[in-house]
Amino acid sequence: MSGGTAAEVLALLERRGQTLAVAESLTGGLVAAELTAVNGASRSFRGSVTAYATELKRELLGVDGGLLAERGAVDAEVARQMARGVRRALGADWGVATTGVAGPTPQDGQPVGTVHVAVAGPSGATASAALRLEGDRAGIRGDTVRAAVKLLFSELIATTRAQDTEQHSGI
């Protein structure tokens, strides 16, 4: 596999019999659109929540209100909580989240291009990536979609390798 397209992610999920849900802020549904553009996506993709407004991150995804008040929505821990929250809300094995500033102006004291993507898996563990992207609004949003899909792909591969190691080491 080349490294993380939506088709590769969905193929891995389908082989494992696992499902995916997405929580989006700055991408406004673009991650879900990327996934659902793949034929057969419905076999693994459960759905998405576009929580563009900060209060929806709290109300729909369970992001801690104190964290949002203290740090704002553009934060790594907010992204991790969004990923865990969408997993729970939509009953999926995996959750992916995006939050950040696509521009044209800064938000929550963060400059344009500040982005956080996160993945939450079945074990409850989360992974996140902080990005500093350049370009216009459309470019930042597109780069965020690709980063979110690649992070999920990496986590799926890592958990596959961990499971293979356990199975072959006699654990």
Side-chain angles (χ1 to χ4, degrees):
M1 296 193 179
S2 68
T5 66
E8 290 171 323
V9 161
L10 290 165
L12 274 173
L13 288 167
E14 185 176 354
R15 278 199 296 278
R16 295 168 126 187
Q18 293 181 323
T19 57
L20 170 65
V22 176
E24 301 187 64
S25 186
L26 83 147
T27 48
L30 293 175
V31 175
E34 183 81 7
L35 292 163
T36 58
V38 177
N39 288 337
S42 63
R43 290 189 289 270
S44 298
F45 183 65
R46 298 228 358 117
S48 65
V49 173
T50 301
Y52 209 64
T54 299
E55 67 270 12
L56 294 180
K57 292 171 182 65
R58 184 184 73 249
E59 294 167 9
L60 298 177
L61 300 172
V63 176
D64 179 81
L67 175 67
L68 289 166
E70 180 184 328
R71 297 189 201 166
V74 182
D75 180 77
E77 181 57 26
V78 169
R80 289 188 289 271
Q81 288 188 20
M82 288 173 64
R84 286 192 297 267
V86 80
R87 266 190 78 230
R88 189 174 45 251
L90 300 186
D93 297 299
W94 292 86
V96 174
T98 65
T99 187
V101 186
T105 59
Q107 177 188 336
D108 295 333
Q110 299 294 326
V112 172
T114 303
V115 173
H116 297 277
V117 296
V119 172
S123 70
T126 58
S128 62
L131 309 171
R132 298 287 183 246
L133 303 173
E134 294 185 11
D136 64 6
R137 183 174 174 80
I140 289 169
R141 293 172 79 212
D143 288 346
T144 301
V145 170
R146 286 182 286 281
V149 172
K150 284 182 186 287
L151 180 62
L152 174 59
F153 182 79
S154 297
E155 290 304 301
L156 287 167
I157 293 298
T159 59
T160 299
R161 287 186 185 130
Q163 290 168 351
D164 288 347
T165 300
E166 287 177 13
Q167 290 171 355
H168 293 100
S169 66
I171 295 175

